[in-house]
Amino acid sequence: MIKSLKQRLAFFLILPVAILLFLMGLFGFIYAKEIMLDEWREAAILKLQRAAHHVDMRLSLPIELIKGFHETADSRGGYAVQEWILKQLKDLEGVTKVNLQWANDRLEHMPAPGHGFQMGRGDMMRFHRARISRVTPPYYDAHTGRETVSLVSDLKDESGRTVGTLEVTLRFDHLMQDIIRLGWWQSDMACLVDKKGRYLAHTEAMMKGRTQLGETNDPLELELMAAMKEKPFGTLLGSGHPPRVASGYYRIKKAPWAIILFAPGEKVLAPIIKFRSYYAVAAAISIVFVLFIIRLVAGNMAHSIRKISQAAEQISQGDYGDPLSIRSADEIGQLGKSFNTMVKGLKERDFISNTFGRYVDQKIAKELMSRPEATRLGGERREVAILICDIRGFTPLSETLSPEMTISILNHYFSHMIEVIKEYQGIIVDFFGDGVLVFFDPLDDPVEPTVHRAVQCALEMQKEMKVFNAEIMKENLPKIEMGIGLNSGEVVVGNIGSETRAKYGIVGSPVNITQRIQSKAKGGDVVISEAVYCYVHKDLIIKKSFSVQLKGVQDQIKLYVVENLNSQ
């Protein structure tokens, strides 16, 4: 009787614990499965993104040169620039051929470097616009004995008629060489497909004999085909529990291709599938110990997640707080590290935005941030080039327009000028009305190349005004002219303001002098000071010079109106 009671007590005590452990094991398996699948999704997307980035990087330079060829179609001196761009394209690593063919079947073929290729104005037809119309799938080139792909651009006149074609041919193995070196490309099941699902490259073990994604009517492959048309990247799971196959894809930005990764579900979930068997044995042997461990681990996990959640709420209110302390190296610890990294990135982006604004190139901003004076109030003295531009006669014009139209014109004007200034690494300090204050910082380099770059920027801004005027004149608005003043001198460079709000800029009398030089510039003129002239006079074509008495300057100073650079 006593023995039976003990057995019953043991039974009724162990049974609920066993049921609880069973349910915890079951739901824990489901929960862990979802976590591992989510982690696989993230890892797969990161792998695919990196691989796609390698291909995009290989394509970006020829594409940018082709775009440069397009953009110089109507520019002054465009023939010489286009000839230079074609030569640069031919010299690029991986490029096997550059063909420029006009509609009259006259073919211009780029020879190997050093063969004295020249192209005069008579050899180059004028076109109005162009774009990269297609990227061909890999095909075997008998001439090179390798697979190649081509970037094809249609050159069109003002009526939209195609007047020529620019084709740049690259080796396919050159585009793929970074991907092939990735370890997972060799070990996992992966492939490269075009937008129609045709295999361009794949791992032999899985894809041998296959030519088309979805040709076997596999539901997952068909679902992948549909998903790739809608989203640039993503992951999909096959049928089953665990899923038979997990897959991810990532579209390449600069080519109509996508990289796909496949993984067997059992491989993705192998750790918890194996653990499921051990769990049943371990639970029967040490129920109490397992309950204690689960409670301990769950408590620590909940504590860590709670800390991350509280920190996230603080961040939503603008308080970044101190970094989280990481006490483990597991997934929760990795989550804490990733959270700290995210907060650090948010702080850095906020600092860049608050200190340098939205109109400084990110590369320049990061370089400036590496300098001590950029991260504290105050600064240091050094010589810089200063540019101030202003629209001529805009105040009377704005009085005839509605406030909405006035702001629209100014925003359109600034968008053109900002792009040119960023291209020449100018740092925009401020906008005042329809004017812009910019400086060019040599940092630790000599000031002469920086001054030269500032002059180039000013001339390019005046060229861009022609494009801007052509656009607004289509809206029946009058032509607008801009004057630019350039000066160089020693100023204080650094953060100006308070601890709560500071701005990276410049202070000094050369800024005021630049403003007065700008006031002497007529519409369409670039007027430079004697200081700028001394640095770059050998490279300048001067339209005229004159002496003026500027306010705040005791003696008359000599100013120069720049017509162009000798190299342009």
Side-chain angles (χ1 to χ4, degrees), residues 185 234 251 405:
W185 182 263
R251 285 208 310 248
M405 181 60 72

Side-chain angles (χ1 to χ4, degrees), residues 7 38 54 88 138 159 161-163 177 229 279 320 326 352 363 375 427 457 467 486 493 535 562:
Q7 292 175 345
D38 287 342
H54 284 311
Q88 293 298 311
S159 65
R161 182 174 59 90
T162 301
V163 297
Q177 63 182 1
K229 295 177 181 178
Y279 177 83
Y320 289 110
I326 308 301
I352 291 175
K363 291 183 180 178
T375 56
I427 301 173
C457 179
V467 178
L486 270 175
V493 182
Y535 280 118
V562 180

Side-chain angles (χ1 to χ4, degrees), residues 1-11:
M1 186 74 178
I2 296 176
K3 183 176 179 181
S4 175
L5 179 59
K6 289 182 179 180
Q7 292 175 345
R8 289 176 62 187
L9 286 174
F11 176 79

Side-chain angles (χ1 to χ4, degrees), residues 455 458-459 462 484-486 521-522 524-528 560-563:
V455 175
L459 293 171
Q462 291 291 13
I484 299 177
L486 270 175
K522 297 179 180 179
D525 284 350
V526 175
V527 178
I528 65 173
Y560 302 85
V561 180
V562 180
E563 182 174 346

Side-chain angles (χ1 to χ4, degrees), residues 220-234:
L220 179 61
E221 294 187 9
L222 295 176
E223 193 175 353
L224 270 174
M225 288 285 292
M228 286 190 295
K229 295 177 181 178
E230 297 179 359
K231 295 181 180 180
F233 61 87

Side-chain angles (χ1 to χ4, degrees), residues 297-417:
V297 172
N300 290 337
M301 184 182 298
H303 177 69
S304 299
I305 294 175
R306 191 179 303 113
K307 286 174 60 179
I308 294 174
S309 177
Q310 292 171 349
E313 284 191 22
Q314 290 180 342
I315 290 174
S316 69
Q317 299 172 1
D319 179 12
Y320 289 110
D322 297 325
L324 297 176
S325 59
I326 308 301
R327 299 179 180 178
S328 64
D330 57 11
E331 288 82 356
I332 298 299
Q334 185 60 43
L335 178 62
K337 290 180 181 178
S338 300
F339 185 86
N340 287 338
T341 303
M342 179 195 71
V343 173
K344 182 180 178 182
L346 289 173
K347 285 182 179 179
E348 181 178 303
R349 280 192 288 276
D350 281 354
F351 184 83
I352 291 175
S353 178
N354 293 335
T355 306
F356 303 108
R358 294 180 298 158
Y359 308 110
V360 178
D361 184 80
Q362 290 292 314
K363 291 183 180 178
I364 299 177
K366 288 184 180 295
E367 185 175 355
L368 291 172
M369 282 183 61
S370 66
R371 304 175 66 87
E373 71 273 10
T375 56
R376 63 172 184 265
L377 287 178
E380 65 175 22
R381 288 188 174 273
R382 60 176 176 268
E383 187 171 0
V384 301
I386 308 165
L387 181 152
I388 297 180
C389 66
D390 193 66
I391 297 177
R392 297 294 177 251
F394 187 74
T395 301
L397 173 62
S398 64
E399 292 175 354
T400 66
L401 302 172
S402 67
E404 293 81 6
M405 181 60 72
T406 301
I407 294 299
S408 176
I409 292 174
L410 275 178
N411 288 340
H412 194 42
Y413 157 74
F414 283 136
S415 68
H416 280 267
M417 297 304 107

